[in-house]
Amino acid sequence: MKLSYPVDRFLEKAAEDDRLLPSHLCLFMAISYYCPDVLATASFRVSRKKLMRFSRIKAVATYHKCIRELVTYGYISYEPSFDPYRASLVSINVNFQI
């Protein structure tokens, strides 16, 4: 089965990237699950609660650590909303580099 392009590219890069842990992989899969665009080129809003539930991350500190590291490593772009009623803005970087 062929996966969508961003997920396929991410898994290829993740296999080579020793910095990534299972929590990073689960969080990226949750982000790609909630991405409404097929090519994942646009930004979209998603809540921390939904991402944590889908990725099975229980601690808020672990969630923030993984999000921060995925941004630092160039896999995603993330803009927090700081508003409990408005979800954060996330986009998948299709052309990520290691």
Side-chain angles (χ1 to χ4, degrees):
M1 178 175 90
K2 190 70 172 170
L3 299 172
S4 68
Y5 179 71
V7 175
D8 202 29
R9 289 250 317 149
F10 174 74
L11 291 176
E12 288 173 5
K13 295 292 184 182
E16 302 168 5
D17 195 348
D18 294 333
R19 303 171 295 185
L20 296 180
L21 301 173
S23 54
H24 294 97
L25 302 177
C26 291
L27 187 55
F28 188 87
M29 291 298 121
I31 291 169
S32 65
Y33 177 79
Y34 285 107
C35 178
D37 189 26
V38 175
L39 295 177
T41 55
S43 297
F44 58 97
R45 295 204 174 272
V46 66
S47 69
R48 173 182 56 86
K49 185 177 179 180
K50 286 182 179 180
L51 291 176
M52 286 181 67
R53 185 180 322 126
F54 190 86
S55 62
R56 305 283 193 219
I57 294 175
K58 303 294 182 204
V60 176
T62 303
Y63 167 80
H64 286 294
K65 174 184 167 278
C66 290
I67 283 283
R68 184 184 68 243
E69 290 175 347
L70 286 172
V71 170
T72 302
Y73 303 157
Y75 291 108
I76 64 168
S77 298
Y78 176 75
E79 186 179 319
S81 68
F82 302 110
D83 182 0
Y85 301 107
R86 189 171 175 203
S88 298
L89 195 63
V90 179
S91 66
I92 298 173
N93 297 336
V94 180
N95 297 320
F96 38 76
Q97 304 282 327
I98 292 182

